[in-house]
Amino acid sequence: MPTPATGDLVVLSKVNKHFGELHVLQDIDLTIARGEVVVVIGPSGGGKSTLCRAINRLETIDSGEISIDGRPLPAEGRELAALRADVGMVFQSFNLFAHKTVLQNVTLGQIKVRGKNRKAADERARRLLDQVGVATQADKYPAQLSGGQQQRVAIARALAMDPKIMLFDEPTSALDPEMINEVLEVMRRLARDGMTMVVVTHEMGFARSAANRVVFMAEGRIVEETTPDRFFSNPRSERAKDFLSKIL
Ligand code: ADP
Ligand code: MG
């Protein structure tokens, strides 16, 4: 029996993950409420990407539990495909299908995974492409678009699956500076519209303005977890103070 829906959408408890000798996730406890925007910040190698990948099961975990919407993560098969559709993910590298048009990139999953007909999928895709500001690029191939446009298509593609949560792993890190804002603006709007989001980013302006909570991760642990105001004005841990002194 699925647990009835509560305010908590994602719950990680005592999650551990090793890569060989490296203890990359150490007793991670993290709860994400419906509609919450959690920004994950921290030094490179701290486990942020592994955390995201564990949430949609691109990585297995060694111990602990992860549940989404009251259900434990499925291990395989049809249920795993459904989970992946429920958890939208946007990566640093845009990961679009290079040999499909922009429109096809956004319709494919709707048809194959969600079982929609082409007309319905096309209509939804065009609406989403319009929302992220690339409607006029629908018939082009990814390589013909700028990095910022490609990343906005990647966001539209994830949204087309009607995900319960969106994970963003450094979505603007590979972009030229002038394209960063157009992507952050799409993400800000999503946040305002109530999407549940986990965002790994070094964009501190985004963290301050859009996050409900900042999670500071280093060396496989959640070191600090607080509001953006408190985190930036008064970080408690030496590790966070040191990190902020280097980037601000
Ligand atoms: P972050 O995203 O915070 O930079 P990652 O989660 O990517 O950190 O990586 C955490 C640590 O795990 C790093 O030391 C990284 O080199 C290591 N790591 C990540 N993926 C693998 C893998 N597939 N195999 C071995 N080590 C990995
Ligand atoms: Mg990373």
Side-chain angles (χ1 to χ4, degrees):
M1 278 284 283
T3 319
T6 65
D8 294 337
L9 186 58
V10 180
V11 180
L12 288 84
S13 53
K14 292 271 166 295
V15 169
N16 284 279
K17 168 77 181 175
H18 298 76
F19 287 119
E21 298 282 286
L22 190 66
H23 197 172
V24 54
L25 296 179
Q26 304 188 25
D27 284 328
I28 300 290
D29 287 316
L30 180 65
T31 299
I32 298 158
R34 242 171 262 283
E36 195 179 17
V37 178
V38 174
V39 165
V40 181
I41 297 177
S44 178
K48 305 181 298 296
S49 292
T50 306
L51 178 75
C52 288
R53 293 167 58 81
I55 294 175
N56 72 352
R57 220 178 177 286
L58 289 170
E59 294 287 357
T60 57
I61 57 176
D62 301 334
S63 65
E65 280 174 30
I66 303 179
S67 67
I68 296 185
D69 221 356
R71 294 166 186 258
L73 289 197
E76 56 192 11
R78 197 182 283 269
E79 286 188 10
L80 182 56
L83 165 91
R84 294 255 168 80
D86 281 346
V87 181
M89 180 132 181
V90 176
F91 301 87
Q92 177 174 339
S93 51
F94 319 123
N95 291 87
L96 295 174
F97 306 118
H99 302 292
K100 307 238 176 252
T101 65
V102 164
L103 187 73
Q104 288 165 343
N105 265 277
V106 185
T107 54
L108 197 68
Q110 297 186 67
I111 296 166
K112 293 226 153 139
V113 181
R114 293 301 198 201
K116 288 198 205 167
N117 65 43
R118 176 162 309 278
K119 183 160 177 292
D122 272 4
E123 281 171 10
R124 182 80 205 287
R126 288 190 190 278
R127 263 203 314 280
L128 285 167
L129 290 172
D130 187 46
Q131 278 172 30
V132 301
V134 291
T136 57
Q137 315 295 317
D139 298 321
K140 292 192 179 161
Y141 287 86
Q144 297 173 284
L145 272 54
S146 72
Q149 289 172 325
Q150 288 186 55
Q151 198 59 309
R152 286 181 284 146
V153 173
I155 294 172
R157 183 177 63 175
L159 291 174
M161 305 301 281
D162 298 312
K164 292 177 177 164
I165 180 170
M166 287 281 287
L167 310 177
F168 294 87
D169 190 2
E170 300 200 25
T172 60
S173 297
L175 296 178
D176 292 335
E178 72 271 22
M179 292 168 191
I180 291 176
N181 253 320
E182 66 193 39
V183 173
L184 292 179
E185 194 41 52
V186 168
M187 293 166 60
R188 279 198 194 93
R189 203 176 328 129
L190 263 186
R192 274 201 300 275
D193 290 348
M195 177 60 76
T196 308
M197 295 164 58
V198 174
V199 183
V200 179
T201 186
H202 301 298
E203 292 296 328
M204 297 301 139
F206 178 85
R208 276 176 196 271
S209 64
N212 299 116
R213 186 152 48 114
V214 168
V215 168
F216 177 71
M217 247 188 119
E219 285 111 37
R221 292 183 186 278
I222 294 179
V223 178
E224 213 165 319
E225 188 179 352
T226 183
T227 61
D229 268 0
R230 272 196 226 137
F231 182 74
F232 290 111
S233 64
N234 191 18
R236 279 166 302 162
S237 63
E238 287 307 315
R239 196 71 188 78
K241 283 179 195 165
D242 179 57
F243 177 76
L244 287 171
S245 74
K246 285 177 182 141
I247 59 158
L248 292 181

